[in-house]
Amino acid sequence: MKRNGKSNSLRAPLWTGWVLLGLSILCGQCVDALANGPAARKFEGQAILARYCSRCHAINKTDQSTLRGAPPVRDIYRRYPLERLEFELSEGIGSTHRDMPQVQFSSEQIEKILNYLDNLIRAE
């Protein structure tokens, strides 16, 4: 198209708008997949443990528990059969330590915690 005798070569064709729209939708889906995908889900259990357990227990791969005698959560995971650990997490893990709070986790939280611990142990 010419305007005032000059070609308007800087004007983008109509299809580029559709391409840009498609790319922005695709990028939005990629960001959503990264935020909610397996890599992000792997650390949801860590966040739950950080909130409820890290005051006393070590929750990462190599850290030490802040409370003497409180075993790292990774050791608890190794020590107990999976079915028992699931039960204890859902009912509130019993302890002879009177200051340990009784925390009952939901099924969804337990799944996230066990997924995190499984990935943590496999990475060793």
Side-chain angles (χ1 to χ4, degrees):
M1 177 177 186
K2 289 186 176 184
R3 185 178 286 173
N4 297 333
K6 295 182 181 177
S7 174
N8 191 358
S9 61
L10 296 178
R11 188 172 192 183
L14 181 60
W15 62 268
T16 57
W18 289 107
V19 169
L20 291 174
L21 176 63
L23 287 173
S24 57
I25 290 171
L26 181 62
C27 288
Q29 290 173 343
C30 290
V31 168
D32 185 51
L34 288 172
N36 298 311
R41 283 194 301 267
K42 183 168 64 172
F43 295 103
E44 289 175 336
Q46 181 184 30
I48 295 166
L49 291 173
R51 180 174 180 189
Y52 294 103
C53 308
S54 67
R55 180 179 59 164
C56 301
H57 296 272
I59 63 166
N60 296 311
K61 193 179 200 177
T62 59
D63 60 334
Q64 298 300 312
S65 296
T66 55
L67 180 66
R68 195 175 87 189
V73 178
R74 62 185 176 269
D75 291 349
I76 296 169
Y77 179 76
R78 287 185 188 116
R79 191 178 307 155
Y80 291 98
L82 188 59
E83 295 79 26
R84 180 167 176 209
L85 189 55
E86 287 174 331
F87 175 78
E88 294 287 342
L89 289 170
S90 69
E91 297 297 319
I93 293 180
S95 172
T96 56
H97 177 48
R98 63 183 167 96
D99 292 330
M100 182 172 163
Q102 290 286 118
V103 180
Q104 293 177 299
F105 296 100
S106 70
S107 298
E108 184 178 306
Q109 288 174 314
I110 293 169
E111 182 180 336
K112 290 174 181 178
I113 290 168
L114 295 177
N115 182 48
Y116 166 71
L117 291 171
D118 186 57
N119 283 309
L120 189 73
I121 300 304
R122 286 179 190 223
E124 291 182 336

